Amino acid sequence: MTNTLTGSCLCGQVAFTIDGGLEMAGHCHCSMCRRWHGAPCGSYAKVIDPASFKFTAGQDQYKIYASSEKGRRGFCGNCGSSLTGEEDGRVTWITLTAIHGDPGVQPMAHIYVGSKASWETINDGLPQFEEYPQ
Ligand SMILES: [Zn+2]
Ligand SMILES: [Zn+2]
């Protein structure tokens, strides 16, 4: 895949590009993702080449929230949009919601369904996993 993906936050101050494509897209229903996204789930994909993630605007507005010992969540400090997951200082996960247009991947599964919100019904037919699939 050689297409360059572009993405941004809601206010547009933080913008980025990714080369090399995405993989392993899915919906996470854990309580942290739900609160972070303000939604029934967070939808993410893995960045195949983390070194290809580049800011094109607003890196100074890009903030990190450490939601757990290893979990690093990047967001826009101005509008609050959920943007990335980082590991070892590199962007390894991207929220599908931040990508402009077709991200080139389709969600394959729902994870952490065991802790989903009681008011959410999942009925799209994708596989559902109680936690993270091993
Ligand atoms: Zn923003
Ligand atoms: Zn989650």
Side-chain angles (χ1 to χ4, degrees):
M1 197 183 299
T2 55
N3 288 349
T4 297
L5 296 171
T6 64
S8 67
C9 62
L10 174 61
C11 76
Q13 289 190 17
V14 179
F16 58 85
T17 59
I18 297 171
D19 289 305
L22 305 175
E23 63 181 355
M24 288 176 62
H27 305 292
C28 183
H29 299 258
C30 83
S31 61
M32 288 193 291
C33 286
R34 287 191 277 117
R35 290 212 166 88
W36 192 51
H37 284 267
C41 64
S43 302
Y44 306 89
K46 200 164 182 26
V47 178
I48 293 174
D49 177 13
S52 77
F53 179 95
K54 294 193 169 54
F55 287 102
T56 51
Q59 189 167 1
D60 59 326
Q61 280 289 4
Y62 178 72
K63 311 293 181 193
I64 293 287
Y65 172 64
S67 60
S68 66
E69 198 174 316
K70 292 181 72 177
R72 297 282 183 277
R73 296 167 183 262
F75 63 98
C76 173
N78 185 53
C79 70
S81 294
S82 310
L83 298 173
T84 70
E86 291 197 1
E87 294 167 25
D88 301 322
R90 305 193 314 164
V91 172
T92 49
W93 293 88
I94 192 76
T95 60
L96 288 177
T97 43
I99 301 290
H100 299 160
D102 182 359
V105 286
Q106 288 289 322
M108 303 182 302
H110 296 274
I111 67 171
Y112 286 101
V113 170
S115 51
K116 78 174 182 63
S118 61
W119 42 263
E120 185 192 14
T121 302
I122 303 170
N123 54 14
D124 62 8
L126 291 177
Q128 298 184 22
F129 297 91
E130 288 292 294
E131 294 186 336
Y132 194 88
Q134 298 302 314

